[in-house]
Amino acid sequence: MIKKDLELERRWQALRLALKDSIGRKPKDLNAILFLIGVQELGKGPHTFSKEEKQDLMHIAICKVLSLSGFYELEGMDENGWPHWKGIKKLPHFDLLEQEKLLKMHVIEYFEQEIGLEF
């Protein structure tokens, strides 16, 4: 692993531990954390979501975290209070591992900027 990758992994594990302290259990993976971000961004609190709504929450989270680098912009809310995003600039073409790294970096940035956690 490159030094940069090791630092990302260290910060990622620190985030997972911080979330364990906050929610009572360590999120299993990136998808679990994206789901939490989606719920946070929806702002409706604890709720039972359908499978489709869970997918929508993860989409909200991905758009939100990638908006930190200008890839997406909030377009507005629909009549049910769900945010809608529009693509602003094209995402780089990465393989799956690079996509995961990009998302992890932005998720960490989200928790630092939006929530005030430090890693």
Side-chain angles (χ1 to χ4, degrees):
M1 270 188 155
I2 317 172
K3 186 176 181 180
K4 183 173 84 171
D5 291 341
L6 289 172
E7 179 61 16
L8 174 61
E9 189 57 28
R10 183 198 64 75
R11 294 178 77 214
W12 181 251
Q13 295 307 323
L15 168 62
R16 291 179 65 220
L17 287 173
L19 288 174
K20 179 183 179 191
D21 293 342
S22 179
I23 63 173
R25 63 182 174 168
K26 188 164 54 168
K28 185 173 105 177
D29 57 16
L30 175 60
N31 288 335
I33 295 174
L34 288 171
F35 176 77
L36 291 173
I37 292 170
V39 171
Q40 174 72 25
E41 289 302 310
L42 182 60
K44 295 186 182 220
H47 185 73
T48 302
F49 297 101
S50 69
K51 183 177 180 179
E52 184 178 327
E53 288 173 326
K54 289 176 183 178
Q55 291 172 332
D56 291 344
L57 288 167
M58 291 179 66
H59 176 73
I60 289 168
I62 289 169
C63 292
K64 173 61 182 179
V65 299
L66 292 178
S67 74
L68 299 173
S69 289
F71 290 106
Y72 288 90
E73 179 178 272
L74 183 61
E75 211 169 22
M77 306 293 238
D78 68 17
E79 64 278 355
N80 297 318
W82 285 70
H84 289 267
W85 298 83
K86 65 179 177 180
I88 298 299
K89 63 182 182 182
K90 193 173 170 100
L91 284 163
H93 183 59
F94 288 140
D95 63 29
L96 286 176
L97 184 59
E98 291 298 317
Q99 288 176 23
E100 184 174 307
K101 285 181 193 177
L102 178 71
L103 283 172
K104 283 182 175 181
M105 289 183 327
H106 282 85
V107 164
I108 291 166
E109 185 179 357
Y110 170 85
F111 279 97
E112 290 174 337
Q113 289 185 12
E114 304 285 325
I115 310 298
L117 298 177
E118 290 188 31
F119 311 101

